[in-house]
Amino acid sequence: MILLDGRKTSNDLKDEIAIAVNSIKKNGGKTPHLAAIIVGSDGASKTYVASKVKACDFVGFHSTLIELDENVSEEKLLQEIEILNNNDAIDGFIVQLPLPKHIDEQKVLMLVNPDKDVDGFHPTNVGRMALDLPCFLPATPFGILELLERYKIETSGKNVVILGRSHIVGRPMSILMSQKRSAGNATVTVCHSRTKNLKEFTLQADIIIAAIGIPEFLKAEMVKEDVVIIDVGITRIKDDTKKRGYRLAGDVDFENVSKKASFITPVPGGVGPMTIAMLLKNTLLASTRKN
Ligand code: GUN
């Protein structure tokens, strides 16, 4: 079994991005600038956004963090987005999800200027992705493609089973992996909460991408020998033996599934760090396109 080391791969990517930024600065170019809006004080979201800001520092980007109160009005959030859309200093920005229930997520994401939409969530970017046109790919699927490519995992003609149909991971992943591309050309099946006889599908899978948010859902008896496992899940589980009071669990029963897998991502240290690296890559792309 080979561990797909997202931490190391993302560090390699960040080093590459830092070199590119250095050369832009040396040639008198503009320093890429990423902004992030976070609404409320959800612990996990705050941790993710803090990691994104830290990663910006590491590669030499400017970053701006806009923190809004949990009870902020939708109108005020939309105004903040307009300000970022119109601010030439900002090359790209994200609105950290999930948003509080009183805010219409679709309305928010639709207002982001597609040219600054480094999360790739705007319908323009989703549509362009589906048509295989130049666009910002959503960071988590983009990171998974990068991980598969860098570990030279063959995907052409393979059976890929995706667990979950979310707009952020499952749906885009299914589109990308069926396209003619490296880390593509696969036969893709999307399974979800209404799928009957799930095990029949997972047992046929050469590659499984688990993105359902149910800790340790995928068990060893559900996978075949030598399967490739990509675990997108990252759930905080209360654990009083830990100093911070919780442990992180993926969607895969790592201890047992890893014994059958040829490649597997750990949680943490697998997909998570890749997501951050790809967000930086998209920001660099946004900046170089614009400037
Ligand atoms: N919440 C979970 N994943 C993501 C992501 O990739 N981008 C944003 N903006 N929010 C998220």
Side-chain angles (χ1 to χ4, degrees):
M1 182 271 291
I2 295 173
L3 216 51
L4 294 168
D5 188 341
R7 204 163 273 146
K8 182 193 173 295
T9 310
S10 82
N11 284 337
D12 292 347
L13 269 154
K14 284 189 278 185
D15 287 342
E16 292 163 23
I17 293 167
I19 290 168
V21 173
N22 229 327
S23 129
I24 289 169
K25 288 184 187 173
K26 246 195 225 149
N27 293 316
K30 179 187 175 297
T31 301
H33 191 159
L34 174 72
I37 300 180
I38 181 166
V39 181
S41 53
D42 173 69
S45 289
K46 282 187 90 156
T47 305
Y48 297 146
V49 172
S51 305
K52 290 170 185 179
V53 170
K54 196 169 145 210
C56 284
D57 289 343
F58 181 85
V59 298
F61 287 2
H62 290 314
S63 65
T64 296
L65 178 59
I66 298 161
E67 296 178 275
L68 301 175
D69 188 82
E70 177 82 27
N71 299 313
V72 70
S73 68
E74 184 180 277
E75 193 189 350
K76 169 83 172 117
L77 175 57
L78 295 174
Q79 277 170 9
E80 290 288 346
I81 291 170
E82 281 289 23
I83 291 169
L84 294 175
N85 280 342
N86 295 322
N87 182 347
D88 271 345
I90 304 290
D91 298 301
F93 67 96
I94 64 159
V95 182
Q96 186 65 27
L97 303 178
L99 290 167
K101 288 205 171 41
H102 68 277
I103 293 174
D104 180 345
E105 189 176 291
Q106 277 312 314
K107 208 165 159 185
V108 167
L109 298 180
M110 297 242 320
L111 190 65
V112 176
N113 176 349
D115 293 330
K116 295 189 177 190
D117 171 36
V118 286
D119 253 335
F121 293 167
H122 189 281
T124 295
N125 280 312
V126 179
R128 292 182 68 89
M129 175 198 66
L131 295 171
D132 214 352
L133 295 169
C135 64
F136 295 114
L137 293 181
T140 302
F142 195 9
I144 294 170
L145 295 181
E146 191 75 22
L147 208 49
L148 291 169
E149 280 176 29
R150 293 204 178 207
Y151 278 86
K152 298 187 168 41
I153 293 171
E154 182 61 80
T155 59
S156 180
K158 300 293 182 187
N159 289 333
V160 173
V161 167
I162 296 170
L163 305 181
R165 52 184 162 180
S166 71
H167 293 167
I168 296 184
V169 186
R171 181 72 54 208
M173 208 63 237
S174 69
I175 294 168
L176 291 164
M177 291 212 69
S178 67
Q179 286 176 336
K180 276 188 196 164
R181 57 166 65 243
S182 56
N185 292 309
T187 304
V188 179
T189 306
V190 181
C191 296
H192 45 75
S193 52
R194 301 289 175 94
T195 299
K196 294 197 173 107
N197 304 320
L198 179 69
K199 197 173 157 186
E200 282 177 21
F201 294 99
T202 55
L203 278 172
Q204 297 298 318
D206 302 305
I207 300 170
I208 299 177
I209 299 168
I212 45 174
I214 305 175
E216 288 154 16
F217 175 84
L218 190 76
K219 305 290 185 199
E221 65 269 19
M222 297 166 76
V223 307
K224 67 177 182 182
E225 285 291 336
D226 293 331
V227 66
V228 175
I229 301 283
I230 306 289
D231 189 350
V232 184
I234 185 154
T235 307
R236 290 181 173 193
I237 295 183
K238 194 173 172 333
D239 184 343
D240 292 332
T241 69
K242 302 267 187 256
K243 214 161 102 192
R244 55 188 180 180
Y246 65 87
R247 69 181 174 91
L248 294 172
D251 289 350
V252 177
D253 175 5
F254 183 91
E255 190 187 339
N256 297 303
V257 172
S258 61
K259 290 175 189 153
K260 290 175 93 174
S262 54
F263 294 87
I264 186 166
T265 58
V267 175
V271 174
M274 291 302 293
T275 298
I276 294 174
M278 302 326 276
L279 176 66
L280 299 175
K281 201 160 175 177
N282 277 344
T283 306
L284 179 61
L285 176 66
S287 178
T288 47
R289 255 196 204 165
K290 186 157 75 72
N291 302 296

